[in-house]
Every structure is written in structure tokens, then in C-alpha cells.
Amino acid sequence: MFSGLSAFPLTPMNESGIDEAAFVRLIERLADASVDSIGALGSTGSYAYLSRAERARVVKLAVEHAGNVPVIAGIGALRTSDVQALSEDAQKTGASAVLLAPMSYQQLSADEVFGLYETVTRSLSVPLCVYDNPGTTHFEFSSELYGRIAQLPNVRSIKIPGVPANPAAAKAHIESLRALIPSHVTLGVSGDASAAMGLNSGCEAWYSVIGGLFPKTALAITRAAQAGDMKAATRLSERLQPLWALFDQHGGSLRVVAAAAELQGVVEHPSLPLPLKALDGTGRQQLAVLLDELELA
């Protein structure tokens, strides 16, 4: 579950609610592609914008339609008590694991973040993946904090941000983290543009945005890296460089992937909760051309 391709789909919605039919289509698409796990309610799944009831419903739908693919459910919230409640919901609904980012409004300290994970893991009956996403949480984990949290019960993976672009530096970074965490805790790279580099440098998993919409494309990169074919993994990733550039240009992957899902007819427009909006205008036109050229699947 914490190795290979973990695909993170959108939670399609508008101001009337979640588009459950579209979400089910996305989950079944991932199950049919045989991804290694499904990350429901990650940042791509807009977890922070949903109520507790909506989040429980999303996890339930994911579990029901994922077949044999394990579902990792996001449980991040501002208050520890809310995280615990979401954790209980996810476990009752049948999630195979949970994913926790240290959400905040006030800036959190390292001790506060450690206390969050210490409290939540104490009552878990499923594994937990630590979610390090400084772009949304504005909290940066130190390597030492990774090491402290990785010792807690039920922690089984750490979802790290993108790795350095230099192969030697990327490998050294992963090796330095590996020295601080137990052998049963995996490292998974996020930041799709550096996924191939992360996998080639020793990460066991790719926690993937594009994998949630184009699983076969992401699986090709993942399987090449797992087979030790670093050149193929790199080549397949470099082919997607124009897409990675769009991510950078538009403040991250969410708006671009939402627009791609709309353009592909997988979800209806609008598919993001206001005030968020999918890519539009010239950027959307560029994306449409790009999707035709890349023939993502």
C-alpha cells in the first residue's frame, strides 16, 4: 500500500454538493488500471473544503468502488479533536490507512506537530502516512522531526515534497532521511515533476496527482523505476515537462488537473469548490492542445 503508485483523484463538486457519480467514475478508472493505492481526500481531493459528513461519504464511496485497491483517507483538520473524529470515521468506513497533514491557521511549532501525530497514532487501528506539504500547510518538517514521528506506532510512510533535481543530491537526500527512520517506514515522493527522480533515488512510492486522472501514464513511470530502468522513468517523465511547467505557472497542480478532467469529460464544469476555479482562458486552451499532444491515459 505504501509503495508503487498511490493515485490521488479529485473530489468533483460544485456549490450544490459532491458529484458522486463523477467521483465513482474516477475511482473505478483507478481500480481498473490497478494502481497500488488510492489517496482519497488528499489536497487534490480538496479535503479542507469538505464537512465531516461529506468526507465520510467520499471515503465510503472510494472504498465501495476501489475493488481490491486499498484506500488511504485524508484526515487533516485544524483541531486535534477534529482529526481524531475524522480518523474514527475513516476507520469505520473501511479505509485501509489514513493520511495526515498538519493543517493550521496559526503557525505550528515542531513540538505541536509532533504532539498532533503522537495523539492521533495512539488510537489508530490502521497505518498512517505523514503528509508533508509545505505549499498548503506552510509548515516545513525537519529531517529530525521526520525521525521522531516515524518512531510512533502505526506510522508506515512519509509523503515528502519534491526532491532535488540533481541525481546525486536527490540520492543523498533520500539516504539521509532513510538513516533517521525505521526500516518499516517507506518514503514516498510527491510533486509530480520530481517523481521519477524521487523513485530513481530510492523512494518506494509516488503519491501522484496525475495518477488520479491518468493512471496508466503514471504507472508507466512508476513501473520503469521499480524495474530499475532509470533512463526509461526519466524519459517518460521528461516527456511531460510541458505539463509540469503548467503546474508551476498556475500555482500548483489542482487547477490544471481539474481543468484536464473537465476537458476529458470525466467530470463536469465546475468541479472545484468556490472560490477555487479550474484553469480557464488562455491557460485552458494551452492545456487542451497539450492533452491532445501527450495522449495521456
Side-chain angles (χ1 to χ4, degrees):
M1 174 169 37
F2 297 120
S3 63
L5 179 69
S6 187
F8 281 65
L10 293 162
T11 305
M13 69 183 83
N14 54 39
E15 295 313 291
S16 298
I18 296 165
D19 186 342
E20 295 189 2
F23 181 70
V24 167
R25 284 196 298 272
L26 286 168
I27 296 298
E28 291 178 341
R29 181 184 179 115
L30 300 180
D32 289 344
S34 297
V35 299
D36 297 299
S37 65
I38 294 172
L41 298 176
S43 296
T44 308
S46 300
Y47 72 94
Y49 297 86
L50 300 176
S51 68
R52 178 180 177 181
E54 288 173 325
R55 291 169 71 163
R57 178 61 178 166
V58 166
V59 177
K60 185 174 188 294
L61 288 171
V63 171
E64 288 177 347
H65 295 273
N68 295 324
V69 179
V71 173
I72 305 171
I75 58 170
L78 291 176
R79 298 183 62 184
T80 299
S81 58
D82 291 335
V83 174
Q84 291 176 299
L86 291 163
S87 173
E88 291 174 5
D89 292 345
Q91 291 173 89
K92 289 177 182 177
T93 310
S96 297
V98 293
L99 174 74
L100 177 57
M103 286 182 65
S104 68
Y105 178 77
Q106 299 292 343
Q107 185 71 39
L108 294 174
S109 70
D111 284 343
E112 288 168 337
V113 169
F114 179 80
L116 167 67
Y117 286 96
E118 184 179 38
T119 300
V120 172
T121 56
R122 194 179 298 139
S123 58
L124 273 178
S125 61
V126 298
L128 177 141
C129 177
V130 176
Y131 188 5
D132 181 0
N133 188 355
T136 57
T137 65
H138 308 293
F139 177 83
E140 293 189 8
F141 284 78
S142 66
S143 298
E144 291 73 20
L145 185 56
Y146 283 154
R148 291 179 66 196
I149 293 174
Q151 304 292 334
L152 293 170
N154 296 306
V155 174
R156 293 294 179 270
S157 187
I158 301 174
K159 182 179 187 287
I160 65 172
V163 298
N166 178 275
K171 185 176 181 180
H173 176 60
I174 298 304
E175 288 178 350
S176 69
L177 296 181
R178 185 77 63 206
L180 295 172
I181 65 175
S183 60
H184 65 267
V185 176
T186 69
L187 292 172
V189 64
S190 59
D192 284 2
S194 67
M197 183 66 73
L199 292 169
N200 287 341
S201 300
C203 288
E204 291 95 343
W206 174 14
Y207 295 107
S208 174
V209 173
I210 67 158
L213 182 60
F214 301 113
K216 293 179 181 178
T217 297
L219 277 168
I221 296 171
T222 306
R223 298 296 183 245
Q226 287 181 313
D229 193 343
M230 295 183 182
K231 290 183 178 180
T234 301
R235 183 179 67 253
L236 290 168
S237 178
E238 288 178 345
R239 177 177 173 269
L240 305 181
Q241 184 56 43
L243 183 60
W244 310 147
L246 274 183
F247 287 2
D248 288 340
Q249 184 180 346
H250 296 283
S253 57
L254 177 61
R255 295 170 180 84
V256 178
V257 170
E262 293 171 6
L263 288 166
Q264 296 285 298
V266 181
V267 304
E268 295 183 0
H269 175 78
S271 61
L272 294 178
L274 290 173
L276 296 176
K277 295 181 180 179
L279 196 62
D280 58 10
T282 302
R284 192 180 184 95
Q285 294 172 4
Q286 293 174 339
L287 176 62
V289 172
L290 186 59
L291 293 175
D292 286 341
E293 291 176 350
L294 293 177
E295 298 182 338
L296 305 176

